[in-house]
Amino acid sequence: MSSAILPADLGFFSTLASAGSLSAAARELGITTPAVSKHLALMESRAGVLLVNRSTRRMSLTPEGELYLEHARRILGEIDGMEELLGVSRATPRGLLRVNATLGFGRSHVAPLISRFVRKHPAVEVQLQLSVNPPAPSEDLFDVCVRFGAPPDSRVVARHIASNRRLLCASPAYLAARGMPKVPNDLSRHNCIGIRQGEEAYGVWRLTSGRGRHARTESVRTRGNLATNDGEIAVNWALEGHGILMRAEWDINRFLRSGRLVQVLPQYFTPDADIYAVYPQRHQLAARVRAFVDFLALSFTQQAASGKA
C-alpha cells in the first residue's frame, strides 16, 4: 500500500505555503508552475483531502492544509535538530527558523536584526510572525519567541536578552496643558492612553515606591478616550499630545532622549519588562537556534551600551 504522505512532500508543501502562490513556489523550487500544480494534486489525491484553495490570482490553505503545514514544519525542524545532534551539519547554522515577536517591538527591533542575521548566515531560512500576545510554549509553533518576561514553564529555555523597564511618559505639550502628575493618584485626573495587550488587567497601572521591605505598590485605575492593541500607535498618540502612556523603555527611549516625550513620575517604579528569547528545550542544541539567540543577545547588549535602544 502506498503511503499517503511522502517525506519529499513535507519540504515541498512548506516551500509552497511560504511562497504564497504556485508560480512563486515554482521559481523557488526551480521547476515549472504546472509541475508544482501536479505535485500538489498528487499530494491531495494520496491524502484524500483538499490542502489548498486555488484561484486565478491567489491561494490559501484549507484547515487541513494548515494542519499539514504545522506538522510538516515541526517534522522538518526535528530532522534538522537530529542532524545537528549527530554532527551531520558540522554545527553550521542552516534550515528553517520560525521566530515570533510582539507587533511593535518585533517590527522595530527584531526584524532589523533578522535582516543582519541572515546576511551572516545565508543557509538559515527565517520566518518571522508578529502577534499581539505571545503563544503558549506548549503550542510549539515557533523555534524562538522574543517576549517580555520569562514564562513560568519548565519545558522551555528562557534566556535573558536585555533589561527593560516600563516607563510613564507624555509629550511636553500635553504636560504644559494639563500639568505634571506629582503622585500616582494624580493619574486618575489625566487622559491615559490604554494598550490592550497580554494578560495584564487593562486600565490598571501599578506603581511602586521604595525598594525591598520598604516597597509600597499603588494600583491606579486609569481612564482615557484612546486605546489600542498596537504599541506603536499608542506611542504616536502620546507624541501627538493625547495623554500619558505606559510603555517599554526600548520603545520610547529615543523620544525621551530627543525631548519629544518626558518621563512622568520617574521616582516610581513600574513592572519590569525584561526581554527574553524563549525556545523549547529540545531546540537548544540546534545550531540555527543557538546562533540566532547568541546574535540577539550580543546585538541588544551592543545597542544598550551605545545608547541606541
Side-chain angles (χ1 to χ4, degrees):
M1 180 182 294
S2 62
S3 174
I5 299 175
L6 302 179
D9 293 342
L10 304 180
F12 168 82
F13 197 70
S14 179
T15 300
L16 175 62
S18 299
S21 71
L22 300 183
S23 58
R27 290 192 296 270
E28 182 76 17
L29 295 166
I31 58 179
T32 65
T33 300
V36 172
S37 181
K38 181 178 179 181
H39 189 156
L40 176 59
L42 288 172
M43 285 177 56
E44 292 176 326
S45 176
R46 288 196 301 269
V49 294
L50 189 68
L51 300 173
V52 174
N53 293 314
R54 306 162 180 80
S55 69
T56 54
R57 296 186 174 224
R58 52 176 304 207
M59 55 163 265
S60 62
L61 300 185
T62 64
E64 293 79 9
E66 294 282 2
L67 182 64
Y68 191 108
L69 177 64
E70 175 187 341
H71 285 274
R73 287 178 172 168
R74 183 179 303 171
I75 292 167
L76 291 169
E78 289 175 349
I79 291 173
D80 285 343
M82 182 174 64
E83 288 180 344
E84 287 161 354
L85 287 171
L86 294 173
V88 175
S89 66
R90 303 183 185 278
T92 299
R94 66 179 185 84
L96 177 64
L97 181 70
R98 304 162 300 167
V99 180
N100 176 267
T102 56
L103 288 173
F105 189 79
R107 188 183 302 117
S108 301
H109 296 283
V110 179
L113 291 181
I114 287 176
S115 175
R116 290 166 47 196
F117 177 77
V118 295
R119 289 187 186 279
K120 184 177 181 181
H121 301 289
V124 179
E125 176 193 350
V126 180
Q127 294 177 353
L128 172 65
Q129 179 171 317
L130 304 182
S131 56
V132 175
N133 300 320
S138 59
E139 293 180 6
D140 197 23
L141 298 177
F142 300 97
D143 300 302
V144 179
C145 292
V146 183
R147 58 178 291 165
F148 299 109
D153 194 314
S154 60
R155 293 169 296 176
V156 298
V157 179
R159 177 169 170 184
H160 186 269
I161 297 297
S163 298
N164 188 35
R165 300 177 297 159
R166 291 185 176 95
L167 304 177
L168 296 178
C169 63
S171 71
Y174 175 85
L175 295 173
R178 298 287 299 272
M180 174 70 81
K182 299 289 192 282
V183 294
N185 226 22
D186 291 345
L187 294 171
S188 62
R189 296 189 292 273
H190 279 266
N191 202 51
C192 296
I193 299 170
I195 302 180
R196 296 178 180 269
Q197 288 182 344
E199 298 178 352
E200 296 181 5
Y202 171 73
V204 177
W205 289 353
R206 294 177 175 82
L207 292 91
T208 302
S209 58
R211 289 290 194 182
R213 293 182 306 166
H214 304 290
R216 178 173 175 269
T217 299
E218 299 179 55
S219 296
V220 180
R221 182 162 293 281
T222 61
R223 62 180 182 83
N225 62 352
L226 288 174
T228 178
N229 67 346
D230 188 299
E232 186 174 331
I233 290 173
V235 171
N236 287 334
W237 284 342
L239 290 168
E240 292 164 3
H242 287 289
I244 296 176
L245 174 70
M246 180 186 287
R247 194 63 186 156
E249 185 176 16
W250 277 83
D251 288 330
I252 61 172
N253 229 4
R254 63 188 185 277
F255 301 121
L256 293 173
R257 288 198 305 268
S258 68
R260 294 185 65 192
L261 291 176
V262 176
Q263 189 174 354
V264 173
L265 296 174
Q267 70 273 32
Y268 289 85
F269 302 98
T270 54
D272 290 334
D274 286 359
I275 303 164
Y276 286 81
V278 179
Y279 48 97
Q281 288 183 349
R282 62 185 177 82
H283 287 176
Q284 61 185 319
L285 294 178
R288 64 190 184 283
V289 172
R290 291 200 316 272
F292 181 66
V293 173
D294 288 345
F295 184 83
L296 283 180
L298 178 61
S299 298
F300 278 114
T301 299
Q302 292 174 338
Q303 288 182 39
S306 65
K308 293 181 179 180

